[in-house]
Amino acid sequence: MSSQTISAISSSTVMPRESEASRTQPALLKRVTAWPGVTTAIALIGTVLLWEAAARLLSIPTYLLPPPSAILGSFSSIGFERWAGHIGATLRVALFGYALSIVIAIPLAVVMMRSPLLSRTLYPLLVVVQSTPVVAIAPIIIVVLGAGDAPRVVITCLITFFPLVVSTATGLAATPPELIELSRSLRASGLREITQIRLPFAVPYIFSALKISITLAVIGAVVAEFCASEAGVGYFIQLSTSLFKLPQAWAGLFVLAAMSLLLFQIVVWAQKLLFPWSLPKNH
Amino acid sequence: MAMPALRFDRLGQVFETRSGRTEALRDVSFDVARHEFVSILGPSGCGKSTLLRMIAGLLTPTSGSVEVFGLPVTAPRDDIGIVFQKPTLLPWATVEDNVVFPARHKTGRVTAEERQRAGELLDMVGLSGFEKRLPDELSGGMQQRVGIARALLMDPDILLMDEPFSALDALTREVMGFDLLRIFSERPKTVVFITHSVSEAALLSDRVLVMTGRPGSILTEVNVPVTRPRGPETAKDKAIHELSDHLRDLLLNRHAA
């Protein structure tokens, strides 16, 4: 679904040729609309055209709703190098925070699965951390950890952490009990039970959390950039709005959305490539 | 008289749970000779699976004892294989890797000899050519064959089978029964076979133990008066049908009471 949206976004940036649609015959129309993503793309292109028309005909002020053409224009006026710098900064924070989150969450889930006591102790604390709005803690973390990427990575880690721990723990516990009995009947070590049975069985659970967390990671990075930073797409959006350069802010927003979708898609691809068996059947 | 492969001596199991105390088994005593095929037949929840878990050393009896070749069971043993109700294969591993899994899981490595054994076992259960397939490319019956091959990898003397065919359709189930007869005539094993099916019990077993409902105990035991080797023809044998009827009566009367 997300790949369709990506293609829709990229195709919407190219000016559509609408004259072809009128010449299509019903059978062909049926065939074309059966292609994945075609209807979504048409809807998106239609929205963009309507938007452009409304902005021009009703002469809506640019700072309220810039026309798509103005947003497109600001893409090129910013220039590749500045975009690359901002995207790179956001990507770096999002990915480092995401990686840190994975590195902590999965072993923690394993430990919690092995020790009911630790699980009982830590789980409420995790819920407390999760229930605290990250946006509210972000400024505090920045004050405590100072300038640099460290506080931003921590904020990203905080926001992505919970789904990963909970999903992994659920997956580890969802192993068929017969296989655990088989493991015990072979007197295998607990480590092998984890690595050869429980963790692989948790892979579908881990990946569903990885998909949620990667989009959260972008949110985390942007939240951190809103609080304090001098680079990044989030920072760029904030700067642009404060200067009333709304087309630029919108362009930043589209970049963020595209980034999120692309990262999400990479996780989907990774699962398909590395663990094809973990995908639902009839795929 | 030779030492029995399995000896149950006034075996009892009581589960203490938060909702109270459940007596699963009471005073179960019987012997199983080496290379004997014994079926345990009984209503749901009569503690059949509990019995199996105690033989496997996965559960400690609360009273009485289980002995395997004269030694009380205190921990899982190497000479016991288990076939579960569901095949429970590893979905990411090929059929061959699933069969050698016990070796990999126990020792961390798989020897060439074990790979070769796996091939032979797959051949025996009728799955040669499927070595590199993944479990979900196989039918339920084929998956359970992999489960049987996996249980036989370490060449256990005793095989515990916990309603292994109950998830299969009637026809597949019958075919699997005949295959089991063939497999055990090629490689004799001491088998404890748990089932709900009276005809399956009659066809496969040397002896059938009928259990009562909770707390489970042995109601009676019935010898199967049919010689081996057995095969599809045996299923039509009058003695098998009479025995099935007799077993069914025992179970039903018990239920009505």
mmCIF file of all heavy atoms in Angstrom, chain A residues 64-112:
data_model
loop_
_atom_site.group_PDB
_atom_site.id
_atom_site.type_symbol
_atom_site.label_atom_id
_atom_site.label_comp_id
_atom_site.label_asym_id
_atom_site.label_seq_id
_atom_site.Cartn_x
_atom_site.Cartn_y
_atom_site.Cartn_z
ATOM 1 N N LEU A 64 -1.404 31.084 3.693
ATOM 2 C CA LEU A 64 -2.456 30.190 4.196
ATOM 3 C C LEU A 64 -2.390 28.836 3.510
ATOM 4 O O LEU A 64 -2.317 27.800 4.161
ATOM 5 C CB LEU A 64 -3.837 30.810 3.972
ATOM 6 C CG LEU A 64 -4.233 31.926 4.917
ATOM 7 C CD1 LEU A 64 -5.684 32.338 4.657
ATOM 8 C CD2 LEU A 64 -4.068 31.496 6.374
ATOM 9 N N LEU A 65 -2.450 28.844 2.185
ATOM 10 C CA LEU A 65 -2.371 27.596 1.432
ATOM 11 C C LEU A 65 -1.639 27.847 0.127
ATOM 12 O O LEU A 65 -2.234 28.293 -0.844
ATOM 13 C CB LEU A 65 -3.782 27.051 1.158
ATOM 14 C CG LEU A 65 -3.833 25.652 0.540
ATOM 15 C CD1 LEU A 65 -3.307 24.603 1.496
ATOM 16 C CD2 LEU A 65 -5.253 25.313 0.090
ATOM 17 N N PRO A 66 -0.339 27.573 0.103
ATOM 18 C CA PRO A 66 0.403 27.805 -1.139
ATOM 19 C C PRO A 66 -0.032 26.803 -2.203
ATOM 20 O O PRO A 66 -0.313 25.661 -1.879
ATOM 21 C CB PRO A 66 1.858 27.562 -0.731
ATOM 22 C CG PRO A 66 1.793 26.726 0.489
ATOM 23 C CD PRO A 66 0.499 27.022 1.172
ATOM 24 N N PRO A 67 -0.119 27.241 -3.472
ATOM 25 C CA PRO A 67 -0.466 26.303 -4.545
ATOM 26 C C PRO A 67 0.668 25.296 -4.744
ATOM 27 O O PRO A 67 1.830 25.618 -4.473
ATOM 28 C CB PRO A 67 -0.622 27.195 -5.776
ATOM 29 C CG PRO A 67 0.171 28.413 -5.465
ATOM 30 C CD PRO A 67 0.115 28.601 -3.973
ATOM 31 N N PRO A 68 0.333 24.083 -5.205
ATOM 32 C CA PRO A 68 1.365 23.066 -5.423
ATOM 33 C C PRO A 68 2.519 23.563 -6.290
ATOM 34 O O PRO A 68 3.669 23.182 -6.066
ATOM 35 C CB PRO A 68 0.604 21.936 -6.128
ATOM 36 C CG PRO A 68 -0.802 22.091 -5.685
ATOM 37 C CD PRO A 68 -1.008 23.567 -5.491
ATOM 38 N N SER A 69 2.209 24.429 -7.236
ATOM 39 C CA SER A 69 3.291 24.909 -8.117
ATOM 40 C C SER A 69 4.308 25.715 -7.323
ATOM 41 O O SER A 69 5.514 25.622 -7.567
ATOM 42 C CB SER A 69 2.706 25.746 -9.248
ATOM 43 O OG SER A 69 1.915 26.792 -8.702
ATOM 44 N N ALA A 70 3.832 26.483 -6.336
ATOM 45 C CA ALA A 70 4.746 27.276 -5.507
ATOM 46 C C ALA A 70 5.604 26.365 -4.637
ATOM 47 O O ALA A 70 6.802 26.589 -4.430
ATOM 48 C CB ALA A 70 3.958 28.249 -4.627
ATOM 49 N N ILE A 71 4.971 25.279 -4.124
ATOM 50 C CA ILE A 71 5.709 24.320 -3.297
ATOM 51 C C ILE A 71 6.793 23.655 -4.142
ATOM 52 O O ILE A 71 7.950 23.539 -3.730
ATOM 53 C CB ILE A 71 4.756 23.242 -2.717
ATOM 54 C CG1 ILE A 71 3.730 23.910 -1.792
ATOM 55 C CG2 ILE A 71 5.530 22.165 -1.980
ATOM 56 C CD1 ILE A 71 2.602 23.008 -1.358
ATOM 57 N N LEU A 72 6.396 23.266 -5.356
ATOM 58 C CA LEU A 72 7.328 22.650 -6.287
ATOM 59 C C LEU A 72 8.485 23.604 -6.588
ATOM 60 O O LEU A 72 9.650 23.186 -6.616
ATOM 61 C CB LEU A 72 6.579 22.299 -7.580
ATOM 62 C CG LEU A 72 7.061 21.073 -8.326
ATOM 63 C CD1 LEU A 72 6.931 19.825 -7.450
ATOM 64 C CD2 LEU A 72 6.247 20.905 -9.615
ATOM 65 N N GLY A 73 8.127 24.878 -6.772
ATOM 66 C CA GLY A 73 9.153 25.884 -7.055
ATOM 67 C C GLY A 73 10.158 26.001 -5.936
ATOM 68 O O GLY A 73 11.370 26.106 -6.169
ATOM 69 N N SER A 74 9.675 25.917 -4.683
ATOM 70 C CA SER A 74 10.588 26.096 -3.556
ATOM 71 C C SER A 74 11.530 24.894 -3.406
ATOM 72 O O SER A 74 12.611 25.014 -2.845
ATOM 73 C CB SER A 74 9.814 26.328 -2.261
ATOM 74 O OG SER A 74 9.133 25.170 -1.894
ATOM 75 N N PHE A 75 11.102 23.737 -3.926
ATOM 76 C CA PHE A 75 12.001 22.567 -3.918
ATOM 77 C C PHE A 75 13.302 22.917 -4.617
ATOM 78 O O PHE A 75 14.389 22.683 -4.113
ATOM 79 C CB PHE A 75 11.357 21.391 -4.670
ATOM 80 C CG PHE A 75 10.635 20.435 -3.771
ATOM 81 C CD1 PHE A 75 9.257 20.358 -3.784
ATOM 82 C CD2 PHE A 75 11.351 19.609 -2.901
ATOM 83 C CE1 PHE A 75 8.595 19.485 -2.958
ATOM 84 C CE2 PHE A 75 10.688 18.729 -2.080
ATOM 85 C CZ PHE A 75 9.299 18.668 -2.099
ATOM 86 N N SER A 76 13.143 23.513 -5.831
ATOM 87 C CA SER A 76 14.346 23.780 -6.615
ATOM 88 C C SER A 76 15.080 25.013 -6.098
ATOM 89 O O SER A 76 16.310 25.074 -6.156
ATOM 90 C CB SER A 76 13.985 23.925 -8.094
ATOM 91 O OG SER A 76 12.853 24.754 -8.230
ATOM 92 N N SER A 77 14.343 25.981 -5.545
ATOM 93 C CA SER A 77 15.027 27.193 -5.088
ATOM 94 C C SER A 77 15.901 26.931 -3.861
ATOM 95 O O SER A 77 16.866 27.636 -3.610
ATOM 96 C CB SER A 77 14.004 28.307 -4.811
ATOM 97 O OG SER A 77 13.212 27.943 -3.701
ATOM 98 N N ILE A 78 15.531 25.901 -3.079
ATOM 99 C CA ILE A 78 16.356 25.572 -1.908
ATOM 100 C C ILE A 78 17.686 24.982 -2.357
ATOM 101 O O ILE A 78 18.724 25.250 -1.767
ATOM 102 C CB ILE A 78 15.626 24.564 -0.982
ATOM 103 C CG1 ILE A 78 14.330 25.137 -0.457
ATOM 104 C CG2 ILE A 78 16.516 24.113 0.171
ATOM 105 C CD1 ILE A 78 14.450 26.391 0.340
ATOM 106 N N GLY A 79 17.629 24.192 -3.396
ATOM 107 C CA GLY A 79 18.869 23.620 -3.926
ATOM 108 C C GLY A 79 19.191 22.285 -3.282
ATOM 109 O O GLY A 79 18.863 22.027 -2.122
ATOM 110 N N PHE A 80 19.850 21.453 -4.068
ATOM 111 C CA PHE A 80 20.120 20.083 -3.667
ATOM 112 C C PHE A 80 20.965 20.008 -2.401
ATOM 113 O O PHE A 80 20.698 19.221 -1.499
ATOM 114 C CB PHE A 80 20.825 19.342 -4.816
ATOM 115 C CG PHE A 80 21.229 17.954 -4.447
ATOM 116 C CD1 PHE A 80 20.285 16.922 -4.392
ATOM 117 C CD2 PHE A 80 22.552 17.661 -4.134
ATOM 118 C CE1 PHE A 80 20.660 15.645 -4.046
ATOM 119 C CE2 PHE A 80 22.929 16.380 -3.772
ATOM 120 C CZ PHE A 80 21.980 15.367 -3.732
ATOM 121 N N GLU A 81 21.976 20.869 -2.338
ATOM 122 C CA GLU A 81 22.920 20.753 -1.221
ATOM 123 C C GLU A 81 22.267 21.022 0.128
ATOM 124 O O GLU A 81 22.492 20.308 1.095
ATOM 125 C CB GLU A 81 24.077 21.724 -1.431
ATOM 126 C CG GLU A 81 25.422 21.014 -1.354
ATOM 127 C CD GLU A 81 26.495 21.831 -2.024
ATOM 128 O OE1 GLU A 81 26.705 21.695 -3.249
ATOM 129 O OE2 GLU A 81 27.109 22.645 -1.294
ATOM 130 N N ARG A 82 21.425 22.057 0.160
ATOM 131 C CA ARG A 82 20.746 22.366 1.435
ATOM 132 C C ARG A 82 19.777 21.254 1.809
ATOM 133 O O ARG A 82 19.692 20.871 2.978
ATOM 134 C CB ARG A 82 20.010 23.709 1.324
ATOM 135 C CG ARG A 82 20.926 24.896 1.628
ATOM 136 C CD ARG A 82 20.176 26.203 1.508
ATOM 137 N NE ARG A 82 19.209 26.397 2.597
ATOM 138 C CZ ARG A 82 18.197 27.275 2.542
ATOM 139 N NH1 ARG A 82 18.014 27.999 1.453
ATOM 140 N NH2 ARG A 82 17.382 27.403 3.565
ATOM 141 N N TRP A 83 19.057 20.758 0.806
ATOM 142 C CA TRP A 83 18.145 19.642 1.082
ATOM 143 C C TRP A 83 18.922 18.450 1.644
ATOM 144 O O TRP A 83 18.526 17.870 2.658
ATOM 145 C CB TRP A 83 17.411 19.181 -0.181
ATOM 146 C CG TRP A 83 16.170 19.952 -0.506
ATOM 147 C CD1 TRP A 83 15.894 20.596 -1.680
ATOM 148 C CD2 TRP A 83 15.033 20.155 0.332
ATOM 149 N NE1 TRP A 83 14.666 21.200 -1.628
ATOM 150 C CE2 TRP A 83 14.111 20.946 -0.389
ATOM 151 C CE3 TRP A 83 14.711 19.771 1.626
ATOM 152 C CZ2 TRP A 83 12.889 21.337 0.128
ATOM 153 C CZ3 TRP A 83 13.494 20.156 2.150
ATOM 154 C CH2 TRP A 83 12.594 20.935 1.399
ATOM 155 N N ALA A 84 20.009 18.118 0.951
ATOM 156 C CA ALA A 84 20.798 16.948 1.367
ATOM 157 C C ALA A 84 21.273 17.112 2.803
ATOM 158 O O ALA A 84 21.237 16.171 3.596
ATOM 159 C CB ALA A 84 21.984 16.756 0.421
ATOM 160 N N GLY A 85 21.678 18.331 3.150
ATOM 161 C CA GLY A 85 22.148 18.586 4.516
ATOM 162 C C GLY A 85 21.049 18.343 5.541
ATOM 163 O O GLY A 85 21.254 17.643 6.541
ATOM 164 N N HIS A 86 19.872 18.907 5.270
ATOM 165 C CA HIS A 86 18.758 18.751 6.215
ATOM 166 C C HIS A 86 18.282 17.298 6.290
ATOM 167 O O HIS A 86 18.060 16.764 7.367
ATOM 168 C CB HIS A 86 17.584 19.655 5.796
ATOM 169 C CG HIS A 86 17.859 21.116 6.021
ATOM 170 N ND1 HIS A 86 18.282 21.591 7.248
ATOM 171 C CD2 HIS A 86 17.772 22.184 5.196
ATOM 172 C CE1 HIS A 86 18.442 22.898 7.152
ATOM 173 N NE2 HIS A 86 18.153 23.287 5.920
ATOM 174 N N ILE A 87 18.124 16.689 5.125
ATOM 175 C CA ILE A 87 17.658 15.296 5.102
ATOM 176 C C ILE A 87 18.667 14.399 5.809
ATOM 177 O O ILE A 87 18.308 13.537 6.626
ATOM 178 C CB ILE A 87 17.416 14.824 3.646
ATOM 179 C CG1 ILE A 87 16.217 15.564 3.048
ATOM 180 C CG2 ILE A 87 17.180 13.322 3.596
ATOM 181 C CD1 ILE A 87 16.022 15.351 1.559
ATOM 182 N N GLY A 88 19.947 14.646 5.528
ATOM 183 C CA GLY A 88 21.003 13.848 6.160
ATOM 184 C C GLY A 88 20.952 13.951 7.673
ATOM 185 O O GLY A 88 21.059 12.941 8.386
ATOM 186 N N ALA A 89 20.757 15.186 8.180
ATOM 187 C CA ALA A 89 20.721 15.396 9.633
ATOM 188 C C ALA A 89 19.555 14.644 10.266
ATOM 189 O O ALA A 89 19.719 13.958 11.287
ATOM 190 C CB ALA A 89 20.626 16.888 9.938
ATOM 191 N N THR A 90 18.395 14.754 9.644
ATOM 192 C CA THR A 90 17.212 14.078 10.195
ATOM 193 C C THR A 90 17.369 12.552 10.114
ATOM 194 O O THR A 90 17.074 11.832 11.065
ATOM 195 C CB THR A 90 15.943 14.502 9.439
ATOM 196 O OG1 THR A 90 15.861 15.919 9.488
ATOM 197 C CG2 THR A 90 14.700 13.888 10.054
ATOM 198 N N LEU A 91 17.860 12.104 8.962
ATOM 199 C CA LEU A 91 18.042 10.670 8.752
ATOM 200 C C LEU A 91 19.018 10.087 9.768
ATOM 201 O O LEU A 91 18.792 9.003 10.319
ATOM 202 C CB LEU A 91 18.575 10.459 7.327
ATOM 203 C CG LEU A 91 18.132 9.198 6.591
ATOM 204 C CD1 LEU A 91 16.623 9.068 6.587
ATOM 205 C CD2 LEU A 91 18.665 9.214 5.161
ATOM 206 N N ARG A 92 20.097 10.836 10.020
ATOM 207 C CA ARG A 92 21.133 10.360 10.944
ATOM 208 C C ARG A 92 20.521 10.149 12.333
ATOM 209 O O ARG A 92 20.688 9.088 12.947
ATOM 210 C CB ARG A 92 22.266 11.384 11.003
ATOM 211 C CG ARG A 92 23.523 10.865 11.670
ATOM 212 C CD ARG A 92 24.623 11.905 11.612
ATOM 213 N NE ARG A 92 24.273 13.115 12.341
ATOM 214 C CZ ARG A 92 24.350 14.344 11.823
ATOM 215 N NH1 ARG A 92 24.764 14.525 10.580
ATOM 216 N NH2 ARG A 92 23.997 15.393 12.540
ATOM 217 N N VAL A 93 19.797 11.156 12.809
ATOM 218 C CA VAL A 93 19.198 11.062 14.150
ATOM 219 C C VAL A 93 18.167 9.933 14.186
ATOM 220 O O VAL A 93 18.160 9.099 15.103
ATOM 221 C CB VAL A 93 18.552 12.405 14.546
ATOM 222 C CG1 VAL A 93 17.716 12.244 15.810
ATOM 223 C CG2 VAL A 93 19.627 13.465 14.744
ATOM 224 N N ALA A 94 17.308 9.883 13.164
ATOM 225 C CA ALA A 94 16.246 8.869 13.147
ATOM 226 C C ALA A 94 16.845 7.472 13.152
ATOM 227 O O ALA A 94 16.421 6.604 13.925
ATOM 228 C CB ALA A 94 15.351 9.070 11.931
ATOM 229 N N LEU A 95 17.848 7.259 12.309
ATOM 230 C CA LEU A 95 18.405 5.910 12.192
ATOM 231 C C LEU A 95 19.232 5.512 13.410
ATOM 232 O O LEU A 95 19.158 4.369 13.875
ATOM 233 C CB LEU A 95 19.228 5.777 10.904
ATOM 234 C CG LEU A 95 18.387 5.826 9.625
ATOM 235 C CD1 LEU A 95 19.257 5.645 8.387
ATOM 236 C CD2 LEU A 95 17.281 4.763 9.643
ATOM 237 N N PHE A 96 20.003 6.451 13.948
ATOM 238 C CA PHE A 96 20.775 6.131 15.164
ATOM 239 C C PHE A 96 19.839 5.812 16.331
ATOM 240 O O PHE A 96 20.046 4.860 17.074
ATOM 241 C CB PHE A 96 21.730 7.277 15.542
ATOM 242 C CG PHE A 96 23.084 7.141 14.909
ATOM 243 C CD1 PHE A 96 23.556 8.083 14.010
ATOM 244 C CD2 PHE A 96 23.907 6.053 15.225
ATOM 245 C CE1 PHE A 96 24.821 7.955 13.415
ATOM 246 C CE2 PHE A 96 25.154 5.915 14.639
ATOM 247 C CZ PHE A 96 25.610 6.876 13.729
ATOM 248 N N GLY A 97 18.793 6.632 16.468
ATOM 249 C CA GLY A 97 17.838 6.401 17.554
ATOM 250 C C GLY A 97 17.132 5.065 17.393
ATOM 251 O O GLY A 97 16.972 4.300 18.346
ATOM 252 N N TYR A 98 16.785 4.764 16.144
ATOM 253 C CA TYR A 98 16.114 3.512 15.811
ATOM 254 C C TYR A 98 17.025 2.325 16.144
ATOM 255 O O TYR A 98 16.609 1.366 16.796
ATOM 256 C CB TYR A 98 15.807 3.554 14.317
ATOM 257 C CG TYR A 98 14.976 2.434 13.743
ATOM 258 C CD1 TYR A 98 13.695 2.180 14.201
ATOM 259 C CD2 TYR A 98 15.465 1.673 12.678
ATOM 260 C CE1 TYR A 98 12.915 1.180 13.622
ATOM 261 C CE2 TYR A 98 14.701 0.676 12.095
ATOM 262 C CZ TYR A 98 13.427 0.432 12.570
ATOM 263 O OH TYR A 98 12.660 -0.544 11.986
ATOM 264 N N ALA A 99 18.267 2.423 15.709
ATOM 265 C CA ALA A 99 19.224 1.341 15.945
ATOM 266 C C ALA A 99 19.437 1.143 17.443
ATOM 267 O O ALA A 99 19.434 0.016 17.943
ATOM 268 C CB ALA A 99 20.542 1.637 15.240
ATOM 269 N N LEU A 100 19.618 2.243 18.151
ATOM 270 C CA LEU A 100 19.826 2.160 19.603
ATOM 271 C C LEU A 100 18.630 1.487 20.257
ATOM 272 O O LEU A 100 18.769 0.626 21.141
ATOM 273 C CB LEU A 100 20.013 3.577 20.161
ATOM 274 C CG LEU A 100 20.323 3.671 21.664
ATOM 275 C CD1 LEU A 100 21.697 3.080 21.953
ATOM 276 C CD2 LEU A 100 20.265 5.126 22.141
ATOM 277 N N SER A 101 17.453 1.861 19.790
ATOM 278 C CA SER A 101 16.224 1.307 20.335
ATOM 279 C C SER A 101 16.167 -0.204 20.125
ATOM 280 O O SER A 101 15.830 -0.967 21.037
ATOM 281 C CB SER A 101 15.050 1.989 19.641
ATOM 282 O OG SER A 101 13.843 1.579 20.180
ATOM 283 N N ILE A 102 16.541 -0.653 18.923
ATOM 284 C CA ILE A 102 16.523 -2.092 18.622
ATOM 285 C C ILE A 102 17.525 -2.826 19.508
ATOM 286 O O ILE A 102 17.220 -3.870 20.090
ATOM 287 C CB ILE A 102 16.854 -2.339 17.133
ATOM 288 C CG1 ILE A 102 15.762 -1.763 16.246
ATOM 289 C CG2 ILE A 102 17.040 -3.828 16.859
ATOM 290 C CD1 ILE A 102 16.119 -1.728 14.769
ATOM 291 N N VAL A 103 18.713 -2.229 19.610
ATOM 292 C CA VAL A 103 19.793 -2.874 20.362
ATOM 293 C C VAL A 103 19.422 -3.022 21.845
ATOM 294 O O VAL A 103 19.824 -3.977 22.504
ATOM 295 C CB VAL A 103 21.103 -2.075 20.174
ATOM 296 C CG1 VAL A 103 22.160 -2.490 21.169
ATOM 297 C CG2 VAL A 103 21.607 -2.254 18.754
ATOM 298 N N ILE A 104 18.640 -2.085 22.360
ATOM 299 C CA ILE A 104 18.224 -2.195 23.770
ATOM 300 C C ILE A 104 16.968 -3.038 23.902
ATOM 301 O O ILE A 104 16.856 -3.891 24.775
ATOM 302 C CB ILE A 104 17.975 -0.787 24.378
ATOM 303 C CG1 ILE A 104 19.258 0.039 24.335
ATOM 304 C CG2 ILE A 104 17.495 -0.924 25.829
ATOM 305 C CD1 ILE A 104 19.052 1.472 24.765
ATOM 306 N N ALA A 105 15.997 -2.817 23.021
ATOM 307 C CA ALA A 105 14.667 -3.407 23.217
ATOM 308 C C ALA A 105 14.674 -4.932 23.103
ATOM 309 O O ALA A 105 14.048 -5.613 23.917
ATOM 310 C CB ALA A 105 13.683 -2.815 22.209
ATOM 311 N N ILE A 106 15.374 -5.470 22.110
ATOM 312 C CA ILE A 106 15.282 -6.916 21.887
ATOM 313 C C ILE A 106 15.938 -7.706 23.023
ATOM 314 O O ILE A 106 15.301 -8.603 23.589
ATOM 315 C CB ILE A 106 15.800 -7.281 20.476
ATOM 316 C CG1 ILE A 106 14.800 -6.723 19.449
ATOM 317 C CG2 ILE A 106 15.948 -8.790 20.322
ATOM 318 C CD1 ILE A 106 15.180 -6.910 18.011
ATOM 319 N N PRO A 107 17.181 -7.358 23.415
ATOM 320 C CA PRO A 107 17.736 -8.068 24.591
ATOM 321 C C PRO A 107 16.886 -7.869 25.844
ATOM 322 O O PRO A 107 16.709 -8.810 26.624
ATOM 323 C CB PRO A 107 19.113 -7.439 24.766
ATOM 324 C CG PRO A 107 19.463 -6.896 23.432
ATOM 325 C CD PRO A 107 18.175 -6.460 22.819
ATOM 326 N N LEU A 108 16.340 -6.679 26.018
ATOM 327 C CA LEU A 108 15.509 -6.430 27.208
ATOM 328 C C LEU A 108 14.275 -7.340 27.190
ATOM 329 O O LEU A 108 13.897 -7.913 28.220
ATOM 330 C CB LEU A 108 15.087 -4.959 27.269
ATOM 331 C CG LEU A 108 14.300 -4.577 28.528
ATOM 332 C CD1 LEU A 108 15.197 -4.656 29.756
ATOM 333 C CD2 LEU A 108 13.701 -3.189 28.412
ATOM 334 N N ALA A 109 13.675 -7.495 26.018
ATOM 335 C CA ALA A 109 12.499 -8.372 25.905
ATOM 336 C C ALA A 109 12.884 -9.812 26.243
ATOM 337 O O ALA A 109 12.140 -10.518 26.916
ATOM 338 C CB ALA A 109 11.912 -8.291 24.491
ATOM 339 N N VAL A 110 14.071 -10.231 25.793
ATOM 340 C CA VAL A 110 14.541 -11.590 26.097
ATOM 341 C C VAL A 110 14.710 -11.761 27.601
ATOM 342 O O VAL A 110 14.236 -12.734 28.197
ATOM 343 C CB VAL A 110 15.880 -11.877 25.373
ATOM 344 C CG1 VAL A 110 16.496 -13.175 25.889
ATOM 345 C CG2 VAL A 110 15.664 -11.959 23.870
ATOM 346 N N VAL A 111 15.359 -10.779 28.233
ATOM 347 C CA VAL A 111 15.589 -10.854 29.676
ATOM 348 C C VAL A 111 14.262 -10.868 30.428
ATOM 349 O O VAL A 111 14.066 -11.635 31.373
ATOM 350 C CB VAL A 111 16.469 -9.664 30.131
ATOM 351 C CG1 VAL A 111 16.529 -9.585 31.639
ATOM 352 C CG2 VAL A 111 17.864 -9.794 29.551
ATOM 353 N N MET A 112 13.312 -10.022 29.964
ATOM 354 C CA MET A 112 12.014 -9.969 30.638
ATOM 355 C C MET A 112 11.258 -11.279 30.474
ATOM 356 O O MET A 112 10.524 -11.695 31.357
ATOM 357 C CB MET A 112 11.183 -8.796 30.092
ATOM 358 C CG MET A 112 11.598 -7.467 30.703
ATOM 359 S SD MET A 112 10.839 -6.056 29.876
ATOM 360 C CE MET A 112 9.137 -6.247 30.371
#
